[in-house]
Amino acid sequence: VSTQSTGEGNRGMAGLAAGEQEPDPIQPRESQLTQQASAFLRSHAADPIEWRVWGKETVIEAAESNLPLLVSIGYLSSFWCKRQHQVYQHGDMAALVNTSFIPVLVDCEEHADVDRMFMSASNAMGCGSGGWPLHVLLTPECKPFFCVHYLDHKPFRDMLARMARLWAKDQDPLVQLSDATSNQLLVSIQPPQVKIKLDCELLQNWHSRVRAEFDEVSGGFGRPIKFGSVPRLQLCLRLWRRCGNESLSTMVSGSLNGMCSGGLWDHVGYGWFKCSSDVCWEIPQFDKHVA
């Protein structure tokens, strides 16, 4: 847990003791988020950061101002997105973002296509396997040149300040990086030239790998953090209906029984949590997706 707020508080008290006046809070312009359908966007309407929504007008504004876009992607029930929300409230953060970037807030449940595109960019730039919040810096042409996930106040502010200086001093290296990343993404989404035949041998190999990962005691696959793995369960059901292998049915029923009887299922508010922090499905990570 960062201790930066305590240090800043001490410095602020010292400044006031020396006769300095506390700076006025930043007064944001009327937010674009107030009337949005997304509850996640509306929850940020009072932020001092002047968030824009994802759309053509925002891209035009970035092109006319020649400022990079700061795209922040998240969703309402995410614990780490709530933590990041607190970081956005700092006045020095808002002043930096509002003057050096075009800030854009995206609900990943409302714009799954945008989220998928920039998650791919994050993976291409070596930022890990994904997660929210996701922050992407784009050129005014909407080409990504930097990605990062959750950061606390000071490291996030320092990173943005460094990127703002680089953009103001010499944009060419960042533009070249964005071009390379965009080209890599274009190659990755091209359909494969070699067609793979979906035959019994391929499916049997897949079945063997999944069977080795299956938790015989609690259901599910792999070790914590354990996810519901719905696509994997769906394929198990389809193969069971086709070939009648009872081990496929056992993996599905064992997983669903474990998830339903444990903490992954919300027994009070209903719905499914994102994942379980333990092997027995007892300690959920308290995030929910709409779908």
Side-chain angles (χ1 to χ4, degrees):
V1 178
S2 172
T3 59
Q4 293 300 322
S5 58
T6 301
E8 289 164 3
N10 291 336
R11 290 195 297 273
M13 293 295 292
L16 291 177
E20 296 179 3
Q21 291 186 348
E22 186 175 2
D24 295 332
I26 294 177
Q27 298 299 324
R29 67 180 183 180
E30 184 177 356
S31 175
Q32 295 184 11
L33 308 183
T34 306
Q35 302 300 324
Q36 295 299 312
S38 164
F40 173 67
L41 297 188
R42 294 198 306 272
S43 71
H44 286 265
D47 287 2
I49 293 179
E50 297 171 354
W51 295 110
R52 280 72 157 175
V53 297
W54 180 262
K56 183 178 179 180
E57 293 182 356
T58 300
V59 176
I60 293 174
E61 181 184 359
E64 292 177 345
S65 63
N66 193 33
L67 289 176
L69 295 101
L70 167 62
V71 179
S72 179
I73 305 174
Y75 63 101
L76 184 64
S77 62
S78 166
F79 169 80
W80 289 108
C81 290
K82 290 184 172 71
R83 287 284 300 272
Q84 195 72 68
H85 190 177
Q86 297 172 9
V87 173
Y88 296 149
Q89 308 309 309
H90 291 269
D92 59 344
M93 177 73 70
L96 172 63
V97 171
N98 291 339
T99 56
S100 302
F101 301 91
I102 303 296
V104 184
L105 195 65
V106 176
D107 185 340
C108 68
E109 295 177 329
E110 182 178 52
H111 286 290
D113 53 339
V114 176
D115 176 57
R116 184 165 53 250
M117 175 174 58
F118 290 133
M119 277 295 178
S120 298
S122 172
N123 293 335
M125 286 187 273
C127 296
S129 58
W132 299 273
L134 170 64
H135 300 96
V136 190
L137 295 181
L138 311 176
T139 66
E141 292 75 28
C142 291
K143 296 181 179 181
F145 63 86
F146 187 82
C147 293
V148 69
H149 294 281
Y150 172 81
L151 284 177
D152 207 349
H153 171 220
K154 186 179 185 303
F156 194 27
R157 181 196 61 200
D158 292 348
M159 179 274 294
L160 290 177
R162 184 166 62 252
M163 288 297 170
R165 288 194 300 269
L166 289 173
W167 183 262
K169 183 178 180 181
D170 186 6
Q171 302 174 11
D172 288 345
L174 299 179
V175 171
Q176 292 172 9
L177 177 59
S178 72
D179 288 339
T181 303
S182 298
N183 291 335
Q184 184 177 351
L185 291 176
L186 288 174
V187 170
S188 68
I189 63 176
Q190 295 299 320
Q193 299 299 320
V194 179
K195 294 183 178 180
I196 300 175
K197 184 179 180 181
L198 191 62
D199 55 19
C200 292
E201 182 180 359
L202 181 64
L203 295 175
Q204 184 59 45
N205 290 337
W206 179 85
H207 175 216
S208 299
R209 290 197 302 271
V210 170
R211 191 81 176 90
E213 297 177 13
F214 179 65
D215 184 342
E216 300 278 358
V217 178
S218 303
F221 303 94
R223 306 297 299 172
I225 295 174
K226 289 175 71 173
F227 291 83
S229 303
V230 173
R232 186 176 297 188
L233 295 176
Q234 290 175 326
L235 184 53
C236 284
L237 277 177
R238 294 182 66 179
L239 293 180
W240 171 68
R241 291 183 61 184
R242 174 175 292 187
C243 63
N245 189 323
E246 289 302 322
S247 68
L248 293 163
S249 174
T250 299
M251 286 191 287
V252 174
S253 60
S255 298
L256 293 179
N257 285 334
M259 289 187 285
C260 290
S261 60
L264 198 69
W265 170 253
D266 185 349
H267 296 267
V268 177
Y270 305 107
W272 298 96
F273 293 115
K274 179 180 178 181
C275 57
S276 175
S277 300
D278 69 312
V279 71
C280 301
W281 306 106
E282 292 180 352
I283 307 174
Q285 190 174 100
F286 293 99
D287 295 1
K288 286 184 182 178
H289 285 281
V290 173

